Amino acid sequence: MIIHPTENTPGTNKLSHIAFIMDGNGRWATMRGMPREYGHTIGAKVFRRVAEYCFRGGIDIVTVYAFSTENWSRPKREVDAIMNVFGSYLKMGLTDMAKDDICVRFLGEKTPFAPETRELMERLETESLGNRYKLNIAVNYGGRAEIVNAVNRLIASGAREVSEESLSSAIYTAGQPDPDLIVRCGGEVRLSNFLMWQSVYSELYFTDTLWPDLTDNEIDKAVENYYHRKRRFGKV
Ligand code: IPE
Ligand code: IPE
Ligand code: MG
């Protein structure tokens, strides 16, 4: 069970936004003698369970890194398989997201997706708008691309210079607080172009556990670990 300290515990910042780098699907499948694609199918199921677990545990915003701008360079067969998993998830998601009171937002440009996929993404965003729990799915996401796109959008709207505030309002997570905690599965200790702007003061948690093996218990541990951190934000 996710445990938050009581509100009057001094020095704690409520964990309201958690982000996951869902890494390790390919290795998980390979270890089982299965094609990497199988790992992505299982990974998508785990994603659903993890998001629901976090929302039930009182976390308001969940962000997941599903597909990076660099992931397009993988073999076509794997990219196609990931897009298929994504496509079928979108169709399923359209019917049950709203009922679960989840508001979905995609982080990343939608232009490289097939027209029918884009339409589903847009419909899901529109139909779930205003729902209570915020679920951000980073697909075709790159932190650098996000910043460049945001600057270009501001320029196109007439801005001659940008500020931290204007840039924050032009990135994909506009209007949301930065992630308090970023959890990376799969053993790598890096961010791989994830939330470059938003992560400056995020607490980072790395685990060797491969994404498909992530248990509720390990999420509890990450949250507990978060609440033992001293977040100073540059102050003393
Ligand atoms: C993460 O798992 C999912 C995506 C990047 C789409 P990987 O596919 O990177 O799995 P590993 O890291 O190769 O095991
Ligand atoms: C990061 O995983 C991207 C996602 C989980 C979607 P990668 O497997 O692409 O990262 P690297 O290549 O190990 O840095
Ligand atoms: Mg990987």
Side-chain angles (χ1 to χ4, degrees), residues 61-78:
I61 308 173
V62 175
T63 299
V64 292
Y65 200 7
F67 192 81
S68 74
T69 45
E70 289 73 31
N71 290 148
W72 294 106
S73 315
R74 293 188 179 197
K76 184 173 182 307
R77 178 191 145 131
E78 181 169 346

Side-chain angles (χ1 to χ4, degrees), residues 90-196:
L90 276 173
K91 287 188 195 107
M92 181 187 76
L94 271 175
T95 50
D96 38 287
M97 280 283 148
K99 129 177 154 272
D100 290 343
D101 212 3
I102 294 171
C103 165
V104 179
R105 193 191 288 194
F106 294 101
L107 315 183
E109 292 306 303
K110 296 185 184 73
T111 27
F113 297 102
E116 57 273 25
T117 306
R118 281 169 64 172
E119 202 199 301
L120 282 172
M121 291 165 83
E122 276 154 16
R123 254 179 55 203
L124 183 51
E125 286 182 327
T126 315
E127 287 175 11
S128 68
L129 204 69
N131 282 352
R132 176 171 167 194
Y133 303 105
K134 311 296 175 205
L135 175 62
N136 300 319
I137 305 174
V139 275
N140 183 36
Y141 178 86
R144 287 186 174 177
E146 173 177 45
I147 295 167
V148 170
N149 288 340
V151 171
N152 283 331
R153 261 197 291 274
L154 291 167
I155 292 171
S157 68
R160 297 185 54 204
E161 57 182 51
V162 300
S163 62
E164 292 192 13
E165 288 70 29
S166 69
L167 214 126
S168 293
S169 69
I171 54 175
Y172 302 124
T173 52
Q176 297 182 350
D178 291 338
D180 299 299
L181 174 65
I182 298 178
V183 175
R184 180 169 189 149
C185 288
E188 310 297 353
V189 184
R190 56 176 171 253
L191 290 175
S192 302
N193 206 7
F194 188 45
L195 303 179
M196 297 321 297

Side-chain angles (χ1 to χ4, degrees), residues 22 41-51 211-215:
M22 310 191 287
T41 306
I42 302 302
K45 292 203 174 102
V46 172
F47 147 71
R48 180 92 206 200
R49 171 175 57 75
V50 167
W211 174 257
D213 287 329
L214 185 70
T215 60

